[in-house]
Amino acid sequence: MDQLVSGWIASPSPTPIAAQREWHATYRALAVPRPRHATELRRRLLLLSVRIHWHPWWSTPAGWSPAARVELRRVTAEDRQAGAA
């Protein structure tokens, strides 16, 4: 995980970890009944999805593996579980 995280931190774009965390927060805001500013939230979710998917880190040898995307979800899932406790 350290290599994964350090590779993202060294990149010039916002990190996929930060974008994934923000994606989850936006998704939770959109999931409530009758969310305020639903259109803005949907657009934000789409933008974050594009940023995560097309981040330059995925073009590096460490990012080629499907396991790297699984690791991104695992790292951010730990954050969500810690926040819910």
Side-chain angles (χ1 to χ4, degrees):
M1 182 174 89
D2 292 332
Q3 179 187 11
L4 188 65
V5 173
S6 65
W8 282 335
I9 291 172
S11 67
S13 301
T15 68
I17 292 175
Q20 186 73 41
R21 287 178 179 148
E22 192 173 342
W23 188 96
H24 286 295
T26 303
Y27 187 87
R28 284 190 302 272
L30 191 57
V32 300
R34 299 177 59 129
R36 296 186 62 163
H37 311 291
T39 301
E40 292 173 25
L41 289 170
R42 285 192 300 269
R43 287 178 182 157
R44 183 73 183 149
L45 204 57
L46 181 58
L47 174 69
L48 290 166
S49 296
V50 169
R51 284 185 181 170
I52 292 165
H53 183 78
W54 291 105
H55 192 276
W57 192 82
W58 301 117
S59 297
T60 67
W64 288 344
S65 167
R69 291 184 189 268
V70 172
E71 180 69 6
L72 172 64
R73 290 185 191 95
R74 189 189 66 75
V75 168
T76 57
E78 289 173 356
D79 294 342
R80 290 191 316 273
Q81 290 170 355

